[in-house]
Structure formats: structure tokens, C-alpha cells
Amino acid sequence: MVLGMTNRRVLISGAGVAGPALAFWLCRHGFTPTVVERAPEPRDGGYAVDFRGASLRVLDRMGLLAQVEAAATRMGEVTYVDGDDRPLAVTPASFQSGELEILRGDLTRILFDATKDDVEYVFGDAITGILDHRDGVTVTFERGEPREFDLVVGADGLHSAVRSLVFGDESWYRRDLGYYVSICTVPNHLGLDHAGRFHNEPNRTAGVYSARDNAEAKALFWFGADSLDYDHRDVGQQRRIVEEKFAGVGWETAELLSAMREAPDFYFDSASQIVLDTYSRGRVALVGDAAYCASPLSGMGTSLAIVGAYVLAGELAAGDHVSAFRAYESEMRGFVDACQKLAQGNGKWFVPPTRGWIRLRNLNYKLLPYLPWRKVIEELPLKAGNAITLKEYAGAPA
Ligand SMILES: Cc1cc2nc3c(=O)[nH]c(=O)nc-3n(C[C@H](O)[C@H](O)[C@H](O)COP(=O)(O)OP(=O)(O)OC[C@H]3O[C@@H](n4cnc5c(N)ncnc54)[C@H](O)[C@@H]3O)c2cc1C
């Protein structure tokens, strides 16, 4: 292993999934990572995320697979229902939940606990400036004093501040897929048992699925819309958008909207992809959603984040940052393309635009067990999840 002594101090922006996973591997390879996170503590709650293919092997190499399995959601079927809660179609667990599913907040906590003793975490702060002066990087912060690092990695999600500072305005790289999603934690008022119930009206999907062994539930609202102009930090405005879009939708929607108003957490964003022609500039690189967000419609974002962190750290341990960043990109590119492709054109199945589409989708799901191409459909996500051959890096357990 050639450890570039000058590249030891790595600042990572973002303590979501990719950030702590990268810090984990950098520590294993002998680097000294610092993670700065805007939130005051690791962010709890959130929606369910799935793992498929190569990401499970990375979790195994991290020694965390058993912990993630112990916290798995064990979700079962999702039933699509009409306005009177009558079942119209059912999809099996494998359809929504991948090979292994966990609440995003639980995953973040597991990754944080696995790294907190070895990694410097700075919560409640954010990067405001990055000056790459060839020998190193001077970073300024909203609250803390300026500091020197050898490398900076943006793991700060779809709306990455590092990407904006170094690569330019988000609008240059973000491709909106024409859908928005909102998720929050609500009471399990339907008494769902490891199951979900979704209701469609044209261009809108309202749903609820049980979580934490049925102790609570997640309400979810999807709708189709061209790019909306709203403030990413203004949760009140985002709640109003959801209320307006779902006003008058039948089934349990009014109940779910009223639970949303009281919810302890709230997520709202566009289903978007980030498409960059390079994942690094100088001494700054990007990982996870910041570099190659595939959108929730792909079900691959967490897998990409976990695998990307493993590859980036492994390549940095193998050589200087210039060749490492180049190798990271060439290892990841095909995998990213396969995962992003999964989401494209997928939205109509989840948020059908018309009543005709809703009927067609339900008919397809009903007939699915008998369709000759069922296996092909089921195996598509797994194929994308395995569209990378993991290298074995020195210092990483095989
Ligand atoms: C509704 C929904 C469902 C999903 N379902 C799945 C699924 O089934 N399977 C799957 O694989 N993926 C799924 N995803 C995607 C998955 O959540 C993301 O792809 C994954 O979390 C990416 O991890 P990340 O660490 O790159 O980004 P994030 O998890 O977004 O983490 C970014 C972190 O950076 C922090 N941050 C942001 N800005 C700053 C700043 N300026 N300074 C410091 N910190 C900052 C944030 O607070 C956050 O902690 C889903 C996403 C959504 C929204």
C-alpha cells in the first residue's frame, strides 16, 4: 500500500450514508478523516432504503451486515387499493424492498456508531469556501475557524454545497425526472403488519407502510410535476405544496395529510439525477448522491453511496489523489449508468398519469406471476446492483 503522506487529512462534508461509510474505510486505510455535518446530530427517522448486489458485499466487508440485517424492516407486500380501500393489485416484498431493507435513519446511526471513536465529527456546521492551492485545501466554515486539509470530499447529498462551490450551479447537473416525493412518520392507524397500502389518482400516489415492527408508519406522497420553484429549507412551504396537490384525493389521504401536519419529521424533494462528466476537480471529489444521485425511483442510491465510498477510499489508499480520483471514476461509471438507467421511465408505474395508466399498471401487477418476462422484470434491479466487480484493496478485508 502506498499511502500518500500528504493526503492524510481528508475533510468529508455530510454525515448521511456516503460520508460515514467513506470515513470508515479511510480510517481502515490509515487516513485521518473529519466529517462536517450541517445537522446538529446524526439525522434519525426517514424512509426505508434497500440494498442490492455489490453493496451487500461491502457491508459484509465492513463487518456491519449482521447489524443491518438485525434492523431490517422485514416489509411484506404492498397492496394498491381503490377509494374504498378495496384491493386492486398486490406487489411482493422483493418488488419494493430489495434484498435487504432498513430505515435510512437506522443505517446512518449504525455507520456513525461504527466510526465515532476514530473519526472527528463536527455537527452543526457547514463549508462556506474551498480554496484549492495545489499543495492542499483551505476550507472556511459557517461557524468554525478556517482549517487546512489535504483533500475534501462532498458527501452532502443531492443539493451538495461542495459541488456548488467547486463544480458550479446545481441546475447545470440536475436532471429532474418529473416527480416529487414527500415522506413523514405517522401513527400506524390502519394497523398494518409489515405491509403497505397505496392509492392512486391520476398523477398522484398516496400511501402508508408500517415501520419499526408496526409501532409506527411512514406516509408517502408522490406526484408528477415539472420542476417546481420552492425553497429547499422552507418546510412550511413544502408541506403546503403537498397539501395543495393532495387536496380532495380520496381513500385515507385526508387522515394522512392531517398526520403529516403533526409529524416529527418531514422529507420533500424532487426525484432527480445528478449527471457529471467528472467526479473530481483538483483536490476535491464527490461521492454518493452529490456525485451521481440516481433518484428514489431507482432504489439504488444507498447501494451507490456504500459502494462509492468503498471504491474511493480503496483507490486513495493505493496511490496519489490524481490517479486515485481517475481510477474511482472509471470503476464507478458503468455501475452509476446502470443504476441511473433503472429510474428512467420508471415513474409512470409508480405515479400513473391517467386512469387508463392506473388500470394498465394494476392489470400488469395482477398478471405478473403468470407473465413469461416476470423473472426479467424482477432481476433488472439486481442486475444493476451487481454492475460492478469489487476490487480487493490492501487494508480492506476480502
Ligand atoms: C423517498 C426516498 C426513498 C429512497 N429509497 C431508496 C431505496 O429504496 N434504495 C436506495 O438505495 N436508495 C433510496 N433512496 C436514496 C438514498 O436515500 C440516497 O441515495 C442515499 O441516502 C445517498 O446517501 P448520501 O450520503 O449520498 O446522501 P444523503 O443521505 O442525502 O446525506 C447527505 C448528508 O449531508 C448533509 N448535508 C447536506 N448539506 C450539507 C452541507 N452544506 N454541509 C454539511 N452537511 C450537509 C445532510 O444533512 C445529510 O446528512 C431513497 C431516497 C428517498 C428520498
Side-chain angles (χ1 to χ4, degrees):
M1 179 171 70
V2 188
L3 182 57
M5 294 299 288
T6 52
N7 283 341
R8 271 180 183 270
R9 297 166 307 163
V10 184
L11 175 65
I12 301 167
S13 173
V17 177
L22 179 64
F24 175 98
W25 284 112
L26 287 176
C27 278
R28 284 281 179 101
H29 292 301
F31 292 79
T32 312
T34 296
V35 181
V36 58
E37 162 64 48
R38 180 185 284 287
E41 58 192 344
R43 291 172 68 182
D44 248 352
Y47 40 84
V49 294
D50 340 318
F51 291 98
R52 294 179 172 87
S55 58
L56 287 167
R57 292 192 286 286
V58 175
L59 283 181
D60 196 23
R61 289 180 191 188
M62 294 171 92
L64 298 177
L65 185 56
Q67 268 189 68
V68 175
E69 280 173 344
T73 60
R74 299 186 291 113
M75 262 293 280
E77 294 173 347
V78 166
T79 306
Y80 289 86
V81 296
D82 68 12
D84 296 318
D85 202 42
R86 284 183 302 235
L88 299 171
V90 177
T91 54
S94 62
F95 231 67
Q96 337 273 342
S97 311
E99 291 183 272
L100 177 60
E101 186 179 69
I102 181 171
L103 294 183
R104 188 189 164 284
D106 291 352
L107 176 63
T108 297
R109 178 59 68 175
I110 289 172
L111 292 169
F112 174 68
D113 285 346
T115 49
K116 65 176 193 267
D117 294 337
D118 306 312
V119 173
E120 179 196 10
Y121 277 92
V122 181
F123 286 99
D125 207 348
I127 296 174
T128 51
I130 296 175
L131 181 67
D132 182 342
H133 45 80
R134 293 180 65 192
D135 299 340
V137 191
T138 306
V139 182
T140 53
F141 298 92
E142 272 175 20
R143 296 161 72 100
E145 291 298 311
R147 286 175 66 175
E148 290 295 316
F149 293 92
D150 299 311
L151 302 172
V152 175
V153 181
D156 41 3
L158 173 60
H159 306 293
S160 167
V162 171
R163 193 186 56 230
S164 295
L165 286 168
V166 177
F167 291 72
D169 194 77
E170 178 174 313
S171 60
W172 303 348
Y173 311 107
R174 203 184 78 209
R175 313 264 186 275
D176 292 340
L177 299 179
Y179 301 92
Y180 285 79
V181 58
S182 176
I183 304 225
C184 59
T185 303
V186 296
N188 183 7
H189 80 287
L190 294 179
L192 296 168
D193 180 5
H194 298 94
R197 273 180 119 69
F198 292 2
H199 172 67
N200 289 101
E201 292 201 5
N203 236 1
R204 284 162 298 179
T205 302
V208 59
Y209 59 88
S210 59
R212 296 207 190 287
D213 281 333
N214 310 324
E216 61 186 34
K218 305 286 174 186
L220 116 179
F221 304 92
W222 277 91
F223 61 90
D226 292 335
S227 302
L228 296 175
D229 191 18
Y230 68 97
D231 182 346
H232 289 295
R233 300 262 182 89
D234 187 345
V235 170
Q237 184 192 17
Q238 296 163 21
R239 281 185 210 252
R240 285 194 295 281
I241 293 174
V242 177
E243 298 222 26
E244 277 163 26
K245 290 285 174 190
F246 284 83
V249 173
W251 181 62
E252 297 287 330
T253 308
E255 179 78 29
L256 294 175
L257 285 174
S258 119
M260 179 188 81
R261 280 173 222 127
E262 311 291 322
D265 52 10
F266 178 80
Y267 171 87
F268 179 84
D269 216 328
S270 56
S272 303
Q273 299 193 327
I274 294 296
V275 182
L276 286 165
D277 55 11
T278 171
Y279 305 151
S280 66
R281 283 218 179 139
R283 290 180 167 272
V284 180
L286 301 171
V287 67
D289 277 5
Y292 29 71
C293 181
S295 95
L297 288 170
S298 79
M300 287 296 175
T302 310
S303 295
L304 279 168
I306 290 284
V307 172
Y310 170 79
V311 174
L312 177 54
E315 295 298 343
L316 280 169
D320 66 84
H321 71 278
V322 176
S323 48
F325 288 166
R326 202 177 303 132
Y328 160 59
E329 191 166 320
S330 86
E331 287 298 310
M332 289 297 291
R333 192 57 85 171
F335 184 40
V336 167
D337 289 348
C339 294
Q340 290 195 329
K341 219 166 155 192
L342 264 189
Q344 292 154 10
N346 212 2
K348 280 202 175 75
W349 293 97
F350 203 59
V351 192
T354 61
R355 296 208 181 275
W357 259 97
I358 295 173
R359 280 195 294 274
L360 180 71
R361 194 275 318 270
N362 291 343
L363 185 66
N364 258 276
Y365 284 168
K366 260 194 199 152
L367 295 178
L368 193 65
Y370 316 103
L371 295 176
W373 54 87
R374 171 195 172 162
K375 259 203 128 26
V376 180
I377 296 175
E378 281 181 350
E379 280 172 7
L380 272 178
L382 196 56
K383 224 171 141 194
N386 278 314
I388 183 167
T389 306
L390 294 176
K391 280 201 212 167
E392 282 171 25
Y393 297 103

